[in-house]
Amino acid sequence: MSEKKIITVVGATGAQGGGLVRAILADPERRFVARALTRKPDSDKARALARLGAEVVAGDSDDPASLERAFAGAHGVFCVTNFWEHMSPEREGTQARAMAQATRKAGVRHVIWSTLEDTRKWIRLDDNRLPTLQGKYKVPHFDAKGAADHVFAEEAAPTTYLLASFYWENFIHFGMGPRQGAGDDLVLALPLGGARLPGIAAEDIGKCAYGVFRRGTDTIGQRIGVAGEVLSGPEMAAKMGRTLGRKIGFADVPFDAYRGLGFPGAEDLGNMFQFQAILGDEFLRSRDPGLSRDLNPQLLSFDAWLTANAGRMTIA
Ligand SMILES: NC(=O)c1ccc[n+]([C@@H]2O[C@H](COP(=O)([O-])OP(=O)(O)OC[C@H]3O[C@@H](n4cnc5c(N)ncnc54)[C@H](OP(=O)(O)O)[C@@H]3O)[C@@H](O)[C@H]2O)c1
């Protein structure tokens, strides 16, 4: 009897990796075994994954030996870093290198690296449209991931590069939801510069990653960008309004004003939105809802996501 292939999932207790673990376990054909890596195997989230049928293992991206143990015997590995926990691009790069090296040592056949663009390939450091941050970055949480792409190549890790989109959950957890405007009306305020925004239900990123693993190894070396839908600010506001039964307008916040809001990461996010607006159609082409639906036929539209999540959105 052939043994089932193991997929080790970094970030298994988080949004992207959690979606992947649940997708692996929800497959009625149970093609793969889900091995969920976490620093805290006793946490509620880790226990919930174990109850669903995942093999939960201890591991830490800051501890290379623990990665090698967790990747041993795995066919596939999903790699993600969490910039927002420490906001250090250098640490993110070190973690990515440790993961890439551990996949090589373990002889992993297919790696998915959850990456983003190194924006400095488009906007050089001396281009003052975006202020330079932390001395050598334009969008630190993008740049460090994109800069780590070559590390996976250097380690000869058989890698599919997965580009995530803006999670619609940011409207719930990241303080980006609608807020009280003048009178009774609500306002969705984001710095989009008139651009449309590729967005996705966070759970769908993992489901798309599962679609990549299911396809086999054809996508190795490719960049696959996922999105649920691409919408303008006024379109998102109107859809939110219809779901919440409130009038919601859209305010396109100037990039400088957003960068100046003073919360941790405001400059990084302001630069991110401006980068996306500068790239325009090139950015939109890099995240394809059609391809995402091929990988994950259950892909949610924004309306479907709103219907499921309207009750979780708080008005600031
Ligand atoms: N929000 C967005 O719109 C968006 C869009 C695209 C990309 N992203 C990127 O998504 C990344 C975060 O992914 P997420 O949203 O899936 O994460 P998340 O929901 O914030 O959860 C973080 C996950 O990372 C794990 N983790 C953190 N540090 C670790 C370490 N040292 N070793 C092992 N595991 C570690 C945590 O595991 P334990 O705590 O259980 O160990 C947890 O599973 C960020 O880097 C962000 O830039 C976000």
mmCIF file of all heavy atoms in Angstrom, residues 10-18 37-40 43 45-46 59-62 67 80-86 91-92 95 114-116 141-142 145 164-168 170 174 205, ligand 1:
data_model
loop_
_atom_site.group_PDB
_atom_site.id
_atom_site.type_symbol
_atom_site.label_atom_id
_atom_site.label_comp_id
_atom_site.label_asym_id
_atom_site.label_seq_id
_atom_site.Cartn_x
_atom_site.Cartn_y
_atom_site.Cartn_z
ATOM 1 N N VAL A 10 3.828 25.587 7.079
ATOM 2 C CA VAL A 10 4.266 26.641 7.992
ATOM 3 C C VAL A 10 3.119 27.665 8.073
ATOM 4 O O VAL A 10 2.389 27.868 7.105
ATOM 5 C CB VAL A 10 5.560 27.308 7.482
ATOM 6 C CG1 VAL A 10 6.008 28.419 8.443
ATOM 7 C CG2 VAL A 10 6.664 26.274 7.305
ATOM 8 N N GLY A 11 2.958 28.269 9.245
ATOM 9 C CA GLY A 11 1.858 29.231 9.407
ATOM 10 C C GLY A 11 0.506 28.535 9.489
ATOM 11 O O GLY A 11 -0.532 29.140 9.188
ATOM 12 N N ALA A 12 0.515 27.278 9.931
ATOM 13 C CA ALA A 12 -0.724 26.470 9.917
ATOM 14 C C ALA A 12 -1.805 27.037 10.821
ATOM 15 O O ALA A 12 -2.987 26.841 10.571
ATOM 16 C CB ALA A 12 -0.398 25.038 10.332
ATOM 17 N N THR A 13 -1.411 27.741 11.867
ATOM 18 C CA THR A 13 -2.424 28.322 12.760
ATOM 19 C C THR A 13 -2.852 29.711 12.288
ATOM 20 O O THR A 13 -3.669 30.357 12.948
ATOM 21 C CB THR A 13 -1.875 28.438 14.197
ATOM 22 O OG1 THR A 13 -0.691 29.241 14.140
ATOM 23 C CG2 THR A 13 -1.553 27.065 14.778
ATOM 24 N N GLY A 14 -2.303 30.145 11.159
ATOM 25 C CA GLY A 14 -2.631 31.478 10.646
ATOM 26 C C GLY A 14 -3.599 31.412 9.486
ATOM 27 O O GLY A 14 -4.177 30.359 9.173
ATOM 28 N N ALA A 15 -3.778 32.566 8.837
ATOM 29 C CA ALA A 15 -4.792 32.686 7.794
ATOM 30 C C ALA A 15 -4.440 31.848 6.557
ATOM 31 O O ALA A 15 -5.240 31.017 6.111
ATOM 32 C CB ALA A 15 -4.944 34.161 7.413
ATOM 33 N N GLN A 16 -3.243 32.064 6.020
ATOM 34 C CA GLN A 16 -2.906 31.381 4.759
ATOM 35 C C GLN A 16 -2.706 29.883 4.981
ATOM 36 O O GLN A 16 -3.318 29.045 4.318
ATOM 37 C CB GLN A 16 -1.624 31.986 4.164
ATOM 38 C CG GLN A 16 -1.758 33.437 3.778
ATOM 39 C CD GLN A 16 -0.567 33.931 2.966
ATOM 40 O OE1 GLN A 16 0.110 33.174 2.281
ATOM 41 N NE2 GLN A 16 -0.307 35.224 3.034
ATOM 42 N N GLY A 17 -1.822 29.570 5.923
ATOM 43 C CA GLY A 17 -1.516 28.162 6.177
ATOM 44 C C GLY A 17 -2.728 27.411 6.721
ATOM 45 O O GLY A 17 -2.951 26.234 6.390
ATOM 46 N N GLY A 18 -3.519 28.085 7.547
ATOM 47 C CA GLY A 18 -4.716 27.442 8.103
ATOM 48 C C GLY A 18 -5.680 27.046 6.994
ATOM 49 O O GLY A 18 -6.256 25.952 7.009
ATOM 50 N N LEU A 37 2.770 22.943 11.192
ATOM 51 C CA LEU A 37 3.898 23.418 12.004
ATOM 52 C C LEU A 37 3.459 24.635 12.824
ATOM 53 O O LEU A 37 2.818 25.551 12.306
ATOM 54 C CB LEU A 37 5.058 23.791 11.077
ATOM 55 C CG LEU A 37 6.354 24.263 11.729
ATOM 56 C CD1 LEU A 37 7.548 23.802 10.886
ATOM 57 C CD2 LEU A 37 6.395 25.780 11.873
ATOM 58 N N THR A 38 3.816 24.624 14.089
ATOM 59 C CA THR A 38 3.505 25.759 14.969
ATOM 60 C C THR A 38 4.560 25.831 16.071
ATOM 61 O O THR A 38 5.156 24.817 16.440
ATOM 62 C CB THR A 38 2.097 25.614 15.597
ATOM 63 O OG1 THR A 38 1.929 26.650 16.582
ATOM 64 C CG2 THR A 38 1.881 24.262 16.262
ATOM 65 N N ARG A 39 4.741 27.055 16.587
ATOM 66 C CA ARG A 39 5.628 27.185 17.748
ATOM 67 C C ARG A 39 4.912 26.787 19.019
ATOM 68 O O ARG A 39 5.539 26.603 20.055
ATOM 69 C CB ARG A 39 6.102 28.651 17.879
ATOM 70 C CG ARG A 39 7.010 29.108 16.753
ATOM 71 C CD ARG A 39 7.108 30.614 16.705
ATOM 72 N NE ARG A 39 5.810 31.220 16.420
ATOM 73 C CZ ARG A 39 5.576 32.525 16.370
ATOM 74 N NH1 ARG A 39 6.572 33.360 16.597
ATOM 75 N NH2 ARG A 39 4.368 32.980 16.091
ATOM 76 N N LYS A 40 3.585 26.691 18.932
ATOM 77 C CA LYS A 40 2.785 26.464 20.140
ATOM 78 C C LYS A 40 1.794 25.314 19.929
ATOM 79 O O LYS A 40 0.599 25.553 19.726
ATOM 80 C CB LYS A 40 2.013 27.750 20.487
ATOM 81 C CG LYS A 40 2.923 28.923 20.807
ATOM 82 C CD LYS A 40 2.172 30.251 20.772
ATOM 83 C CE LYS A 40 2.227 30.888 19.430
ATOM 84 N NZ LYS A 40 1.583 32.176 19.251
ATOM 85 N N SER A 43 -1.577 25.435 21.717
ATOM 86 C CA SER A 43 -2.517 26.555 21.588
ATOM 87 C C SER A 43 -3.883 26.044 21.114
ATOM 88 O O SER A 43 -4.001 24.948 20.548
ATOM 89 C CB SER A 43 -1.983 27.575 20.575
ATOM 90 O OG SER A 43 -2.001 27.019 19.269
ATOM 91 N N LYS A 45 -5.616 27.095 18.654
ATOM 92 C CA LYS A 45 -5.663 26.950 17.192
ATOM 93 C C LYS A 45 -4.996 25.646 16.747
ATOM 94 O O LYS A 45 -5.480 24.965 15.842
ATOM 95 C CB LYS A 45 -4.992 28.144 16.520
ATOM 96 C CG LYS A 45 -5.824 29.410 16.592
ATOM 97 C CD LYS A 45 -5.156 30.553 15.862
ATOM 98 C CE LYS A 45 -6.062 31.772 15.861
ATOM 99 N NZ LYS A 45 -5.441 32.944 15.262
ATOM 100 N N ALA A 46 -3.863 25.323 17.388
ATOM 101 C CA ALA A 46 -3.173 24.080 17.024
ATOM 102 C C ALA A 46 -4.024 22.869 17.412
ATOM 103 O O ALA A 46 -4.150 21.901 16.649
ATOM 104 C CB ALA A 46 -1.812 24.021 17.716
ATOM 105 N N GLY A 59 7.682 23.637 15.634
ATOM 106 C CA GLY A 59 8.718 24.157 14.749
ATOM 107 C C GLY A 59 8.716 25.668 14.810
ATOM 108 O O GLY A 59 7.705 26.279 15.162
ATOM 109 N N ASP A 60 9.875 26.244 14.486
ATOM 110 C CA ASP A 60 10.025 27.693 14.565
ATOM 111 C C ASP A 60 10.936 28.119 13.413
ATOM 112 O O ASP A 60 12.046 27.588 13.269
ATOM 113 C CB ASP A 60 10.658 28.046 15.929
ATOM 114 C CG ASP A 60 10.713 29.540 16.179
ATOM 115 O OD1 ASP A 60 10.781 30.316 15.203
ATOM 116 O OD2 ASP A 60 10.708 29.936 17.367
ATOM 117 N N SER A 61 10.486 29.064 12.619
ATOM 118 C CA SER A 61 11.288 29.508 11.470
ATOM 119 C C SER A 61 12.587 30.176 11.907
ATOM 120 O O SER A 61 13.481 30.381 11.079
ATOM 121 C CB SER A 61 10.500 30.498 10.613
ATOM 122 O OG SER A 61 9.258 29.980 10.299
ATOM 123 N N ASP A 62 12.694 30.541 13.176
ATOM 124 C CA ASP A 62 13.952 31.083 13.689
ATOM 125 C C ASP A 62 14.886 29.959 14.164
ATOM 126 O O ASP A 62 15.978 30.247 14.654
ATOM 127 C CB ASP A 62 13.680 32.034 14.862
ATOM 128 C CG ASP A 62 12.965 33.303 14.412
ATOM 129 O OD1 ASP A 62 13.324 33.826 13.345
ATOM 130 O OD2 ASP A 62 12.051 33.754 15.128
ATOM 131 N N LEU A 67 12.992 23.172 11.746
ATOM 132 C CA LEU A 67 12.398 23.103 10.406
ATOM 133 C C LEU A 67 12.793 21.801 9.722
ATOM 134 O O LEU A 67 11.965 21.138 9.087
ATOM 135 C CB LEU A 67 12.854 24.294 9.557
ATOM 136 C CG LEU A 67 12.398 25.681 10.016
ATOM 137 C CD1 LEU A 67 13.012 26.765 9.135
ATOM 138 C CD2 LEU A 67 10.868 25.799 9.985
ATOM 139 N N VAL A 80 5.549 30.387 4.646
ATOM 140 C CA VAL A 80 5.072 31.760 4.785
ATOM 141 C C VAL A 80 5.791 32.372 5.977
ATOM 142 O O VAL A 80 6.187 31.648 6.908
ATOM 143 C CB VAL A 80 3.532 31.797 4.965
ATOM 144 C CG1 VAL A 80 3.086 31.142 6.253
ATOM 145 C CG2 VAL A 80 2.969 33.229 4.882
ATOM 146 N N THR A 81 5.990 33.686 5.941
ATOM 147 C CA THR A 81 6.589 34.406 7.075
ATOM 148 C C THR A 81 5.568 35.424 7.562
ATOM 149 O O THR A 81 4.712 35.851 6.791
ATOM 150 C CB THR A 81 7.858 35.156 6.616
ATOM 151 O OG1 THR A 81 7.562 35.826 5.381
ATOM 152 C CG2 THR A 81 9.020 34.208 6.435
ATOM 153 N N ASN A 82 5.673 35.801 8.810
ATOM 154 C CA ASN A 82 4.734 36.802 9.323
ATOM 155 C C ASN A 82 5.457 38.095 9.658
ATOM 156 O O ASN A 82 5.902 38.314 10.786
ATOM 157 C CB ASN A 82 3.979 36.282 10.546
ATOM 158 C CG ASN A 82 2.908 37.276 10.998
ATOM 159 O OD1 ASN A 82 2.599 38.218 10.266
ATOM 160 N ND2 ASN A 82 2.366 37.076 12.170
ATOM 161 N N PHE A 83 5.562 38.954 8.657
ATOM 162 C CA PHE A 83 6.246 40.241 8.828
ATOM 163 C C PHE A 83 5.682 41.024 9.997
ATOM 164 O O PHE A 83 6.419 41.659 10.758
ATOM 165 C CB PHE A 83 6.094 41.066 7.543
ATOM 166 C CG PHE A 83 6.644 42.457 7.646
ATOM 167 C CD1 PHE A 83 7.987 42.697 7.409
ATOM 168 C CD2 PHE A 83 5.832 43.535 7.992
ATOM 169 C CE1 PHE A 83 8.509 43.979 7.514
ATOM 170 C CE2 PHE A 83 6.342 44.817 8.105
ATOM 171 C CZ PHE A 83 7.682 45.040 7.862
ATOM 172 N N TRP A 84 4.355 41.008 10.146
ATOM 173 C CA TRP A 84 3.716 41.932 11.084
ATOM 174 C C TRP A 84 3.997 41.573 12.526
ATOM 175 O O TRP A 84 3.770 42.387 13.422
ATOM 176 C CB TRP A 84 2.214 42.010 10.803
ATOM 177 C CG TRP A 84 1.979 42.546 9.422
ATOM 178 C CD1 TRP A 84 1.551 41.835 8.331
ATOM 179 C CD2 TRP A 84 2.247 43.875 8.949
ATOM 180 N NE1 TRP A 84 1.516 42.645 7.218
ATOM 181 C CE2 TRP A 84 1.938 43.902 7.570
ATOM 182 C CE3 TRP A 84 2.730 45.037 9.561
ATOM 183 C CZ2 TRP A 84 2.077 45.060 6.788
ATOM 184 C CZ3 TRP A 84 2.864 46.179 8.782
ATOM 185 C CH2 TRP A 84 2.550 46.177 7.424
ATOM 186 N N GLU A 85 4.528 40.378 12.787
ATOM 187 C CA GLU A 85 4.845 40.019 14.174
ATOM 188 C C GLU A 85 6.061 40.789 14.689
ATOM 189 O O GLU A 85 6.153 41.112 15.865
ATOM 190 C CB GLU A 85 5.093 38.511 14.277
ATOM 191 C CG GLU A 85 5.308 38.048 15.701
ATOM 192 C CD GLU A 85 5.322 36.540 15.831
ATOM 193 O OE1 GLU A 85 4.400 35.872 15.321
ATOM 194 O OE2 GLU A 85 6.273 36.031 16.455
ATOM 195 N N HIS A 86 7.007 41.098 13.779
ATOM 196 C CA HIS A 86 8.246 41.761 14.227
ATOM 197 C C HIS A 86 8.589 42.990 13.383
ATOM 198 O O HIS A 86 9.390 43.800 13.779
ATOM 199 C CB HIS A 86 9.416 40.761 14.195
ATOM 200 C CG HIS A 86 9.434 39.950 12.933
ATOM 201 N ND1 HIS A 86 9.774 40.491 11.729
ATOM 202 C CD2 HIS A 86 9.119 38.658 12.695
ATOM 203 C CE1 HIS A 86 9.679 39.556 10.792
ATOM 204 N NE2 HIS A 86 9.271 38.434 11.345
ATOM 205 N N ARG A 91 14.771 39.911 9.379
ATOM 206 C CA ARG A 91 14.404 38.653 10.048
ATOM 207 C C ARG A 91 13.553 37.782 9.123
ATOM 208 O O ARG A 91 13.701 36.567 9.073
ATOM 209 C CB ARG A 91 13.647 38.964 11.343
ATOM 210 C CG ARG A 91 13.348 37.723 12.145
ATOM 211 C CD ARG A 91 13.010 38.089 13.563
ATOM 212 N NE ARG A 91 12.357 37.002 14.267
ATOM 213 C CZ ARG A 91 11.678 37.152 15.392
ATOM 214 N NH1 ARG A 91 11.575 38.346 15.939
ATOM 215 N NH2 ARG A 91 11.121 36.128 15.976
ATOM 216 N N GLU A 92 12.684 38.446 8.357
ATOM 217 C CA GLU A 92 11.875 37.700 7.396
ATOM 218 C C GLU A 92 12.785 36.995 6.373
ATOM 219 O O GLU A 92 12.551 35.829 6.039
ATOM 220 C CB GLU A 92 10.943 38.685 6.678
ATOM 221 C CG GLU A 92 9.592 38.105 6.410
ATOM 222 C CD GLU A 92 8.631 39.092 5.733
ATOM 223 O OE1 GLU A 92 9.009 40.226 5.398
ATOM 224 O OE2 GLU A 92 7.481 38.683 5.543
ATOM 225 N N GLN A 95 14.447 34.000 7.980
ATOM 226 C CA GLN A 95 13.499 32.890 8.132
ATOM 227 C C GLN A 95 13.257 32.199 6.787
ATOM 228 O O GLN A 95 13.186 30.971 6.711
ATOM 229 C CB GLN A 95 12.175 33.408 8.696
ATOM 230 C CG GLN A 95 12.282 33.883 10.144
ATOM 231 C CD GLN A 95 10.997 34.512 10.663
ATOM 232 O OE1 GLN A 95 10.176 34.999 9.887
ATOM 233 N NE2 GLN A 95 10.840 34.526 11.972
ATOM 234 N N SER A 114 5.094 31.692 -0.192
ATOM 235 C CA SER A 114 4.126 32.783 -0.230
ATOM 236 C C SER A 114 4.890 34.098 -0.249
ATOM 237 O O SER A 114 5.383 34.562 0.779
ATOM 238 C CB SER A 114 3.205 32.712 0.994
ATOM 239 O OG SER A 114 2.317 33.803 0.956
ATOM 240 N N THR A 115 4.955 34.677 -1.432
ATOM 241 C CA THR A 115 5.826 35.826 -1.620
ATOM 242 C C THR A 115 5.031 37.054 -2.050
ATOM 243 O O THR A 115 3.807 37.008 -2.169
ATOM 244 C CB THR A 115 6.918 35.481 -2.667
ATOM 245 O OG1 THR A 115 7.869 36.539 -2.734
ATOM 246 C CG2 THR A 115 6.319 35.254 -4.058
ATOM 247 N N LEU A 116 5.706 38.140 -2.235
ATOM 248 C CA LEU A 116 5.120 39.371 -2.783
ATOM 249 C C LEU A 116 6.217 40.013 -3.632
ATOM 250 O O LEU A 116 7.356 39.519 -3.664
ATOM 251 C CB LEU A 116 4.661 40.296 -1.643
ATOM 252 C CG LEU A 116 3.452 39.792 -0.820
ATOM 253 C CD1 LEU A 116 3.274 40.603 0.468
ATOM 254 C CD2 LEU A 116 2.161 39.836 -1.640
ATOM 255 N N HIS A 141 7.314 45.072 3.877
ATOM 256 C CA HIS A 141 6.724 43.724 3.997
ATOM 257 C C HIS A 141 6.563 43.044 2.645
ATOM 258 O O HIS A 141 6.356 41.838 2.578
ATOM 259 C CB HIS A 141 5.394 43.762 4.775
ATOM 260 C CG HIS A 141 4.188 44.211 4.018
ATOM 261 N ND1 HIS A 141 3.919 45.533 3.735
ATOM 262 C CD2 HIS A 141 3.148 43.521 3.503
ATOM 263 C CE1 HIS A 141 2.762 45.617 3.071
ATOM 264 N NE2 HIS A 141 2.279 44.413 2.917
ATOM 265 N N PHE A 142 6.669 43.800 1.563
ATOM 266 C CA PHE A 142 6.722 43.191 0.227
ATOM 267 C C PHE A 142 8.183 42.853 -0.134
ATOM 268 O O PHE A 142 8.482 41.765 -0.587
ATOM 269 C CB PHE A 142 6.200 44.173 -0.831
ATOM 270 C CG PHE A 142 4.740 44.098 -1.150
ATOM 271 C CD1 PHE A 142 3.773 44.106 -0.161
ATOM 272 C CD2 PHE A 142 4.314 44.052 -2.475
ATOM 273 C CE1 PHE A 142 2.413 44.072 -0.476
ATOM 274 C CE2 PHE A 142 2.962 44.011 -2.802
ATOM 275 C CZ PHE A 142 2.014 44.019 -1.804
ATOM 276 N N LYS A 145 10.063 39.734 1.149
ATOM 277 C CA LYS A 145 9.577 38.454 0.595
ATOM 278 C C LYS A 145 10.090 38.290 -0.838
ATOM 279 O O LYS A 145 10.603 37.234 -1.211
ATOM 280 C CB LYS A 145 8.047 38.412 0.621
ATOM 281 C CG LYS A 145 7.457 38.344 2.033
ATOM 282 C CD LYS A 145 5.941 38.263 1.967
ATOM 283 C CE LYS A 145 5.280 38.254 3.335
ATOM 284 N NZ LYS A 145 5.372 39.533 4.078
ATOM 285 N N ALA A 164 0.022 36.490 -2.853
ATOM 286 C CA ALA A 164 -1.294 36.701 -2.232
ATOM 287 C C ALA A 164 -1.785 38.110 -2.549
ATOM 288 O O ALA A 164 -1.021 38.979 -2.960
ATOM 289 C CB ALA A 164 -1.193 36.509 -0.722
ATOM 290 N N SER A 165 -3.070 38.316 -2.352
ATOM 291 C CA SER A 165 -3.676 39.643 -2.507
ATOM 292 C C SER A 165 -4.104 40.170 -1.140
ATOM 293 O O SER A 165 -4.113 39.431 -0.154
ATOM 294 C CB SER A 165 -4.939 39.573 -3.359
ATOM 295 O OG SER A 165 -4.654 39.109 -4.624
ATOM 296 N N PHE A 166 -4.552 41.395 -1.152
ATOM 297 C CA PHE A 166 -5.140 42.065 0.015
ATOM 298 C C PHE A 166 -6.268 41.188 0.580
ATOM 299 O O PHE A 166 -7.188 40.813 -0.146
ATOM 300 C CB PHE A 166 -5.707 43.399 -0.479
ATOM 301 C CG PHE A 166 -6.423 44.232 0.529
ATOM 302 C CD1 PHE A 166 -5.744 45.173 1.292
ATOM 303 C CD2 PHE A 166 -7.804 44.118 0.696
ATOM 304 C CE1 PHE A 166 -6.424 45.970 2.191
ATOM 305 C CE2 PHE A 166 -8.479 44.905 1.603
ATOM 306 C CZ PHE A 166 -7.780 45.835 2.359
ATOM 307 N N TYR A 167 -6.139 40.841 1.883
ATOM 308 C CA TYR A 167 -7.216 40.024 2.474
ATOM 309 C C TYR A 167 -8.425 40.931 2.746
ATOM 310 O O TYR A 167 -8.272 41.994 3.387
ATOM 311 C CB TYR A 167 -6.861 39.468 3.855
ATOM 312 C CG TYR A 167 -5.615 38.665 4.046
ATOM 313 C CD1 TYR A 167 -5.254 38.269 5.335
ATOM 314 C CD2 TYR A 167 -4.784 38.280 2.997
ATOM 315 C CE1 TYR A 167 -4.114 37.528 5.576
ATOM 316 C CE2 TYR A 167 -3.633 37.546 3.237
ATOM 317 C CZ TYR A 167 -3.302 37.177 4.522
ATOM 318 O OH TYR A 167 -2.172 36.459 4.767
ATOM 319 N N TRP A 168 -9.594 40.482 2.389
ATOM 320 C CA TRP A 168 -10.787 41.248 2.758
ATOM 321 C C TRP A 168 -10.968 41.257 4.277
ATOM 322 O O TRP A 168 -11.615 42.153 4.817
ATOM 323 C CB TRP A 168 -12.026 40.667 2.047
ATOM 324 C CG TRP A 168 -12.018 40.931 0.558
ATOM 325 C CD1 TRP A 168 -11.574 42.060 -0.067
ATOM 326 C CD2 TRP A 168 -12.456 40.054 -0.467
ATOM 327 N NE1 TRP A 168 -11.713 41.935 -1.426
ATOM 328 C CE2 TRP A 168 -12.262 40.727 -1.705
ATOM 329 C CE3 TRP A 168 -13.012 38.758 -0.485
ATOM 330 C CZ2 TRP A 168 -12.602 40.130 -2.929
ATOM 331 C CZ3 TRP A 168 -13.347 38.188 -1.703
ATOM 332 C CH2 TRP A 168 -13.143 38.868 -2.901
ATOM 333 N N ASN A 170 -8.943 42.277 6.221
ATOM 334 C CA ASN A 170 -8.388 43.535 6.732
ATOM 335 C C ASN A 170 -9.491 44.511 7.110
ATOM 336 O O ASN A 170 -9.284 45.405 7.930
ATOM 337 C CB ASN A 170 -7.468 44.197 5.697
ATOM 338 C CG ASN A 170 -6.235 43.354 5.419
ATOM 339 O OD1 ASN A 170 -5.804 42.576 6.254
ATOM 340 N ND2 ASN A 170 -5.665 43.515 4.233
ATOM 341 N N PHE A 174 -7.805 44.625 10.598
ATOM 342 C CA PHE A 174 -6.646 45.489 10.390
ATOM 343 C C PHE A 174 -7.040 46.961 10.463
ATOM 344 O O PHE A 174 -6.306 47.833 10.015
ATOM 345 C CB PHE A 174 -6.034 45.162 9.005
ATOM 346 C CG PHE A 174 -4.539 45.023 8.997
ATOM 347 C CD1 PHE A 174 -3.927 43.874 9.471
ATOM 348 C CD2 PHE A 174 -3.721 46.038 8.504
ATOM 349 C CE1 PHE A 174 -2.544 43.743 9.451
ATOM 350 C CE2 PHE A 174 -2.339 45.915 8.486
ATOM 351 C CZ PHE A 174 -1.753 44.763 8.958
ATOM 352 N N ILE A 205 -6.777 31.727 -0.024
ATOM 353 C CA ILE A 205 -5.359 31.656 -0.419
ATOM 354 C C ILE A 205 -4.859 30.219 -0.197
ATOM 355 O O ILE A 205 -4.240 29.613 -1.069
ATOM 356 C CB ILE A 205 -4.507 32.665 0.370
ATOM 357 C CG1 ILE A 205 -5.017 34.090 0.113
ATOM 358 C CG2 ILE A 205 -3.030 32.533 0.000
ATOM 359 C CD1 ILE A 205 -4.409 35.142 1.037
HETATM 360 N N1 LIG B 1 -3.138 40.933 5.430
HETATM 361 C C1 LIG B 1 -3.007 40.954 4.105
HETATM 362 O O1 LIG B 1 -3.825 41.552 3.389
HETATM 363 C C2 LIG B 1 -1.871 40.205 3.470
HETATM 364 C C3 LIG B 1 -1.868 40.090 2.071
HETATM 365 C C4 LIG B 1 -0.805 39.406 1.467
HETATM 366 C C5 LIG B 1 0.205 38.889 2.251
HETATM 367 N N2 LIG B 1 0.167 39.022 3.604
HETATM 368 C C6 LIG B 1 1.284 38.464 4.381
HETATM 369 O O2 LIG B 1 0.812 37.376 5.137
HETATM 370 C C7 LIG B 1 1.814 37.093 6.120
HETATM 371 C C8 LIG B 1 1.169 36.502 7.345
HETATM 372 O O3 LIG B 1 0.467 35.345 6.979
HETATM 373 P P1 LIG B 1 -0.928 35.005 7.655
HETATM 374 O O4 LIG B 1 -1.828 36.187 7.507
HETATM 375 O O5 LIG B 1 -1.344 33.703 7.123
HETATM 376 O O6 LIG B 1 -0.491 34.886 9.187
HETATM 377 P P2 LIG B 1 -1.324 35.137 10.532
HETATM 378 O O7 LIG B 1 -2.742 34.738 10.334
HETATM 379 O O8 LIG B 1 -1.006 36.501 11.023
HETATM 380 O O9 LIG B 1 -0.623 34.080 11.519
HETATM 381 C C9 LIG B 1 0.777 34.056 11.628
HETATM 382 C C10 LIG B 1 1.253 32.640 11.441
HETATM 383 O O10 LIG B 1 2.672 32.632 11.326
HETATM 384 C C11 LIG B 1 3.191 31.664 12.215
HETATM 385 N N3 LIG B 1 4.513 32.099 12.627
HETATM 386 C C12 LIG B 1 4.903 33.362 12.932
HETATM 387 N N4 LIG B 1 6.195 33.370 13.279
HETATM 388 C C13 LIG B 1 6.634 32.091 13.192
HETATM 389 C C14 LIG B 1 7.881 31.479 13.419
HETATM 390 N N5 LIG B 1 8.959 32.169 13.858
HETATM 391 N N6 LIG B 1 7.982 30.153 13.227
HETATM 392 C C15 LIG B 1 6.904 29.445 12.817
HETATM 393 N N7 LIG B 1 5.709 29.960 12.579
HETATM 394 C C16 LIG B 1 5.563 31.284 12.764
HETATM 395 C C17 LIG B 1 2.189 31.590 13.349
HETATM 396 O O11 LIG B 1 2.295 30.323 13.964
HETATM 397 P P3 LIG B 1 2.329 30.044 15.577
HETATM 398 O O12 LIG B 1 2.047 31.370 16.240
HETATM 399 O O13 LIG B 1 1.246 29.019 15.781
HETATM 400 O O14 LIG B 1 3.679 29.524 15.808
HETATM 401 C C18 LIG B 1 0.882 31.745 12.585
HETATM 402 O O15 LIG B 1 0.461 30.501 12.066
HETATM 403 C C19 LIG B 1 2.506 38.424 6.411
HETATM 404 O O16 LIG B 1 3.895 38.304 6.212
HETATM 405 C C20 LIG B 1 1.862 39.399 5.418
HETATM 406 O O17 LIG B 1 2.805 40.280 4.856
HETATM 407 C C21 LIG B 1 -0.862 39.650 4.231
#
